[in-house]
Amino acid sequence: MLEKNVTLSLKGCVQGALMCVPVFPGIIVFGAVFGTVAAQKGLTFLETLLMNSLVYAGASQFVAMEIFKEPLDQGTLLAMIGVTAAVNMRMLLIGASLRPWLGQLPGHQTYPALFFLTDINWLLTLAQYDKGERDWGIYLGSGLTVWSVWSLSVIPGYFAGSLISDPKTFGLDLVLPAFFAALLVPLWKGRRQTWSWAIAGGVAWVTWTVFGGYWGIFTGAFAGAIAGAYLDD
């Protein structure tokens, strides 16, 4: 059953924006590293800004840049589409979890607002929903704030990219795995869940060891989903 009395207020938007302040350092570093990677791959400043702000896909942008090469052929393009879809598949469930909150809103409000959905503001706002909050301004304010900080943070990273010959020298290649590892902490709900995570990670690692490339994203996600259906609380 859908919840009732869903509201939207400026107070809720401000509350959502303020909730994001503690995660600013992580967003800024993450966005700056993408700017550096984009510069290393040869994207222009305008291309980097547009991809970062309009695609707005976080981890998927990094994966796409790993595969990207010039000239861009059909095979590379299909590979970029495939791994990006696999990484973003989690958004299907994340978006569905917002249905009780945003489901009563008219489509012209709901669907544009979903553009600002990320792992970060989803975790922050869903915690407020579980506490009884029904002002969806919390979601909107946090989403707009994360997008704004993310869009601006790519700028210094892009110009720093011309000064860094190898991002691995500064450990920038560890930002993406560290980001996802940090996301697991608030999502952990019990020991049984750990088994499905371990199975997903194990299958992904074996796939990467045997076949290389990015097939581990598909196999790990599939194995984790099957294991979670039977093992999780």
Side-chain angles (χ1 to χ4, degrees):
M1 180 182 294
L2 295 177
E3 296 286 348
K4 299 189 176 185
N5 301 320
V6 174
T7 60
L8 172 63
S9 70
L10 178 60
K11 179 182 177 182
C13 291
V14 172
Q15 179 182 346
L18 293 176
M19 286 169 52
C20 298
V21 173
V23 298
F24 278 4
I27 299 172
I28 293 170
V29 171
F30 200 25
V33 170
F34 175 74
T36 300
V37 171
Q40 294 284 331
K41 284 289 186 174
L43 269 65
T44 67
F45 180 56
L46 179 59
E47 289 171 341
T48 303
L49 286 178
L50 290 175
M51 180 179 183
N52 198 57
S53 299
L54 300 181
V55 176
Y56 189 45
S60 298
Q61 295 176 200
F62 283 86
V63 176
M65 285 295 96
E66 283 289 322
I67 301 173
F68 176 81
K69 63 181 180 180
E70 292 186 314
L72 184 63
D73 55 36
Q74 186 176 23
T76 302
L77 182 60
L78 290 175
M80 291 172 65
I81 293 172
V83 297
T84 300
V87 173
N88 280 342
M89 199 174 295
R90 70 190 189 284
M91 289 298 174
L92 293 173
L93 295 178
I94 289 176
S97 69
L98 293 176
R99 174 73 182 180
W101 197 352
L102 305 184
Q104 293 185 76
L105 302 175
H108 71 274
Q109 293 183 18
T110 303
Y111 299 121
L114 289 175
F115 173 79
F116 300 104
L117 177 61
T118 66
D119 304 273
I120 295 174
N121 73 313
W122 171 68
L123 286 170
L124 293 174
T125 58
L126 203 63
Q128 296 302 308
Y129 179 84
D130 291 340
K131 294 177 182 178
E133 284 284 359
R134 295 300 179 265
D135 187 340
W136 76 280
I138 296 174
Y139 164 80
L140 185 62
S142 62
L144 284 168
T145 301
V146 171
W147 177 81
S148 299
V149 175
W150 170 260
S151 298
L152 292 173
S153 64
V154 76
I155 298 175
Y158 180 86
F159 290 107
S162 60
L163 305 175
I164 301 175
S165 58
D166 185 6
K168 293 181 180 180
T169 303
F170 298 90
L172 299 182
D173 57 317
L174 296 177
V175 171
L176 186 59
F179 172 78
F180 276 107
L183 285 178
L184 292 177
V185 176
L187 292 176
W188 189 77
K189 293 182 173 64
R191 287 181 296 176
R192 287 188 180 182
Q193 192 177 53
T194 307
W195 282 106
S196 59
W197 292 1
I199 291 172
V203 170
W205 179 80
V206 170
T207 304
W208 176 79
T209 302
V210 175
F211 300 102
Y214 295 92
W215 287 106
I217 297 175
F218 292 95
T219 59
F222 184 75
I226 296 298
Y230 291 97
L231 299 177
D232 285 1
D233 290 320

